[in-house]
Amino acid sequence: MKVKEYEVPEELYYTKEHEWVKVISKDRVIVGITDYAVKMLKDIVYFSLPRINQEINFMDSLGTVESIKAVSEIYSPLTGKVIKVNERLLSEPELAYNSPYQEGWIVEMEPKRLDDELKLLLKSEDYAKLLQNL
Amino acid sequence: MKRTPLFHYHKDNSKLIEFAEFEMPLWFKGISEEHLTVRESLGLFDVSHMGRFLVKGKDATDFLNYLLPTDVLKVSKGRSFYTVFCNGEGGIVDDSVILKREENEYLVIGNAINIEKDWNWLKKHAKSFDVELNNLSDDSAMLALQGPKAEEVLQTLVKEDLKQIKRFSNFKAKIEDLEVIISRTGYTGEDGFEIIIFDVSYEEPQKALNLWNLLLSKGALPCGLGARDTLRLEAGMCLYGNDIDESVNPLEANLSWIVSFDKGDYLGREALIKVKEKGVKRLRKGFLMEDRGIPRAKCKILKDEEEVGIVSSGTFSPLLKKGIAQGYIKASLSKDDELVQIDIRGIKSLARVKTPPLYDTNLYGWKRIKV
């Protein structure tokens, strides 16, 4: 669905900090930042990404994304282990802007407490409401 | 929050931010695009948020000559000059471009963040001089038309031959029916003009909006404060509050070219002489990142694990596609090509000292154009 000028895919889960989670299976999820986030950042010029196998807790820092103007934290929407990072973002950070839900994905994780933590995330309609009220 | 006359345009066309109590455009199309357009073609900035003060009267020249480390007696009518106001300790109260309009009439342009401070500073020191001061900040507007196409485009609007107007000159002109003052100056490193419009305000914005729209119709791209910051950083210009403030003197700030020691007494002279005699311990320089990473204000500068300086402003250069910065470094390490590390949130990243401009001056900047 579309809220204002922002895409909000229905099959994803969201954080209030504008990360998204796509559940592939019970031990594999993909994480990125939302269309709203990239449009706010606009000139995305730098990513710092976690190491593979790094264990990260729910809403701890997964890395940073920088626009020309400022640095922003990326928060981990789930507790788990990083199994893949999108290294293309290091040389082509604009991928996140151009394709936040596809080519601009940030990490793949193996979640530890998927069922419990999904309940703490926003469903697309709730995230849409959040954007509506910004 | 304060607003400029052009806010009526910005509110529908830009991402807004707060800057020095003003609600200003951060970008219209995006910082990178605006930045590159100014380097390669033409951009238009609203810089009405800056302070504008008229200083006139019998003692105007002597008054400014007392307040500034620059020799104002050597400035001729119709010239604009960059300078700083120093306090008695040599600390920088503000940096400024001053337009000498007539023998005893000057237009002082200061930073938005310092409007009240500058105004009080001028008033406080004016008591023993025969000068008349006027704060025009709220009743005027200023547009900066910047980029290599500035002359060509402005020439279609004014009758004066711009080939005869040198860099750092100013003149009165008419654009359509609007009387303006134009100064061939800017804050981007590119050739360009700053155009001042009088008797215009947020409440009565039409004159400023008309000129803004006219210049856009001639092909200039509207640009925000984001590109203004990246452009001035590449060019090596100071941002007050980041790169200079009252804790810094102009010699440390690498602005010794604006300081005269042989012009007679002025505010801060004694202190600056002492600094000069002792030699400066730190110096403001430019930095180019050799490693990935974007330096930001307050990052530490290291050499062999020892702290040797601090970043005063940093960003990502849309032109060079790497991190750039300005900062203060131990004078003994301030030579070009010295390699240092900048601690970017815990990651020590290699950087190289460089005297700005940080871009290739054969390809970019006003010096490549004969002005």
Side-chain angles (χ1 to χ4, degrees):
Chain A
M1 76 185 103
K2 203 156 186 179
V3 182
K4 297 175 188 171
E5 60 189 288
Y6 314 113
E7 288 296 339
V8 180
E10 278 151 50
E11 69 279 16
L12 305 182
Y13 291 86
Y14 298 87
T15 71
K16 287 179 183 153
E17 313 290 340
H18 311 288
E19 289 86 13
W20 57 260
V21 180
K22 184 176 190 177
V23 180
I24 307 289
S25 66
K26 66 175 179 30
D27 49 17
R28 187 166 159 243
V29 300
I30 300 175
V31 174
I33 55 176
T34 67
D35 193 33
Y36 170 82
V38 300
K39 283 183 171 143
M40 286 294 109
L41 292 163
K42 182 76 183 179
D43 293 271
I44 297 178
V45 293
Y46 189 88
F47 274 94
S48 109
L49 301 173
R51 295 184 315 276
I52 290 184
N53 290 329
Q54 193 173 326
E55 307 260 359
I56 299 178
N57 288 324
F58 178 70
M59 292 314 271
D60 273 0
S61 177
L62 195 59
T64 56
V65 51
E66 295 193 46
S67 67
I68 289 177
K69 198 75 195 148
V71 189
S72 308
E73 291 288 341
I74 305 164
Y75 297 97
S76 183
L78 297 168
T79 301
K81 186 163 81 174
V82 175
I83 49 180
K84 230 190 219 182
V85 301
N86 185 359
E87 287 185 358
R88 282 181 71 195
L89 292 176
L90 301 178
S91 53
E92 300 166 78
E94 64 278 8
L95 280 179
Y97 183 85
N98 295 334
S99 174
Y101 300 113
Q102 304 292 332
E103 288 176 272
W105 64 276
I106 294 172
V107 294
E108 248 184 65
M109 294 180 77
E110 185 183 307
K112 289 262 149 59
R113 292 194 272 277
L114 185 64
D115 292 345
D116 290 346
E117 288 177 347
L118 279 184
K119 290 178 200 150
L120 303 173
L121 299 176
L122 302 175
K123 295 213 172 79
S124 57
E125 57 267 28
D126 298 322
Y127 183 64
K129 268 183 214 146
L130 180 112
L131 293 186
Q132 202 60 260
N133 294 326
L134 282 178
Chain B
M1 203 140 35
K2 296 200 252 179
R3 291 167 170 183
T4 75
L6 294 160
F7 183 79
H8 304 282
Y9 179 90
H10 306 330
K11 70 175 193 309
D12 298 326
N13 293 286
S14 74
K15 175 166 169 69
L16 296 164
I17 49 151
E18 188 187 338
F19 178 77
E21 291 176 37
F22 280 86
E23 205 171 357
M24 293 295 288
L26 177 61
W27 46 263
F28 295 87
K29 284 272 188 65
I31 295 174
S32 276
E33 183 178 343
E34 292 165 24
H35 180 109
L36 297 173
T37 302
V38 171
R39 288 267 175 264
E40 282 156 13
S41 149
L42 190 61
L44 182 65
F45 300 81
D46 173 20
V47 291
S48 308
H49 59 307
M50 299 193 80
R52 286 170 294 280
F53 311 98
L54 190 67
V55 178
K56 63 193 270 192
K58 191 162 77 52
D59 294 343
T61 300
D62 292 339
F63 171 61
L64 289 176
N65 206 37
Y66 167 71
L67 278 185
L68 300 169
T70 302
D71 192 347
V72 183
L73 300 182
K74 287 190 180 150
V75 179
S76 19
K77 190 173 129 177
R79 295 291 289 168
S80 307
F81 59 103
Y82 175 78
T83 188
V84 298
F85 288 88
C86 286
N87 60 28
E89 286 74 54
I92 300 175
V93 175
D94 199 7
D95 66 339
S96 174
V97 167
I98 300 181
L99 283 59
K100 179 162 180 168
R101 294 289 310 127
E102 301 292 342
E103 275 319 321
N104 267 312
E105 185 179 322
Y106 298 82
L107 191 57
V108 175
I109 316 290
N111 284 286
I113 202 167
N114 289 331
I115 291 177
E116 211 179 313
K117 183 168 86 164
D118 290 349
W119 180 233
N120 290 332
W121 191 253
L122 291 170
K123 279 194 296 188
K124 176 179 161 189
H125 292 96
K127 286 177 186 140
S128 43
F129 292 89
D130 183 357
V131 287
E132 188 190 317
L133 302 176
N134 240 310
N135 184 351
L136 306 175
S137 307
D138 293 338
D139 307 302
S140 58
M142 185 155 82
L143 309 187
L145 184 68
Q146 301 281 303
K149 291 206 175 133
E151 182 186 289
E152 183 192 320
V153 164
L154 190 62
Q155 191 64 82
T156 65
L157 299 170
V158 297
K159 67 175 197 309
E160 289 78 9
D161 179 7
L162 296 179
K163 291 261 178 273
Q164 306 304 318
I165 307 290
K166 293 204 161 53
R167 182 105 180 133
F168 280 95
S169 292
N170 64 72
F171 61 105
K172 190 179 263 185
K174 242 182 171 178
I175 298 179
E176 298 192 325
D177 279 330
L178 186 64
E179 278 204 6
V180 293
I181 287 173
I182 300 178
S183 176
R184 195 161 195 165
T185 44
Y187 193 51
T188 60
E190 293 301 324
D191 184 25
F193 300 87
E194 292 174 298
I195 307 170
I196 303 161
I197 309 154
F198 298 94
D199 300 314
V200 63
S201 62
Y202 174 70
E203 292 77 19
E204 298 282 340
Q206 212 51 53
K207 286 184 196 171
L209 282 167
N210 289 349
L211 182 56
W212 175 266
N213 287 325
L214 178 63
L215 291 167
L216 295 186
S217 76
K218 297 278 174 183
L221 183 76
C223 298
L225 294 185
R228 185 167 159 82
D229 190 53
T230 51
L231 287 158
R232 68 91 196 168
L233 244 166
E234 280 179 359
M237 293 161 171
C238 297
L239 173 62
Y240 195 91
N242 279 45
D243 307 302
I244 48 174
D245 57 31
E246 293 192 21
S247 73
V248 177
N249 65 62
L251 303 180
E252 294 171 319
N254 226 332
L255 299 172
S256 52
W257 57 279
I258 62 167
V259 178
S260 166
F261 287 105
D262 56 14
K263 71 166 203 176
D265 197 27
Y266 59 85
L267 194 56
R269 180 170 182 263
E270 294 301 314
L272 292 176
I273 285 175
K274 276 190 195 139
V275 173
K276 195 190 177 199
E277 281 168 354
K278 278 171 110 177
V280 293
K281 291 198 173 58
R282 55 177 185 165
L283 211 50
R284 184 179 62 93
K285 295 291 286 194
F287 298 86
L288 278 174
M289 294 307 297
E290 296 278 316
D291 285 341
R292 291 180 76 240
I294 304 171
R296 305 282 182 185
K298 301 199 173 97
C299 286
K300 287 174 183 160
I301 302 171
L302 311 165
K303 179 85 187 180
D304 304 328
E305 303 295 310
E306 186 201 344
E307 192 177 331
V308 294
I310 189 151
V311 170
S312 49
S313 42
T315 191
F316 178 85
S317 159
L319 186 69
L320 306 171
K321 306 264 185 259
K322 59 169 100 170
I324 58 169
Q326 217 175 94
Y328 285 83
I329 185 164
K330 222 174 169 177
S332 60
L333 295 171
S334 66
K335 277 200 215 60
D336 274 22
D337 289 322
E338 182 79 40
L339 286 171
V340 295
Q341 288 178 315
I342 297 181
D343 184 335
I344 303 175
R345 296 184 306 282
I347 298 169
K348 290 170 189 156
S349 312
L350 202 60
R352 188 181 290 277
V353 176
K354 185 165 176 348
T355 301
L358 301 176
Y359 45 78
D360 181 345
T361 50
N362 295 313
L363 299 176
Y364 301 100
W366 64 272
K367 285 186 180 165
R368 79 186 190 276
I369 303 164
K370 294 261 179 299
V371 287

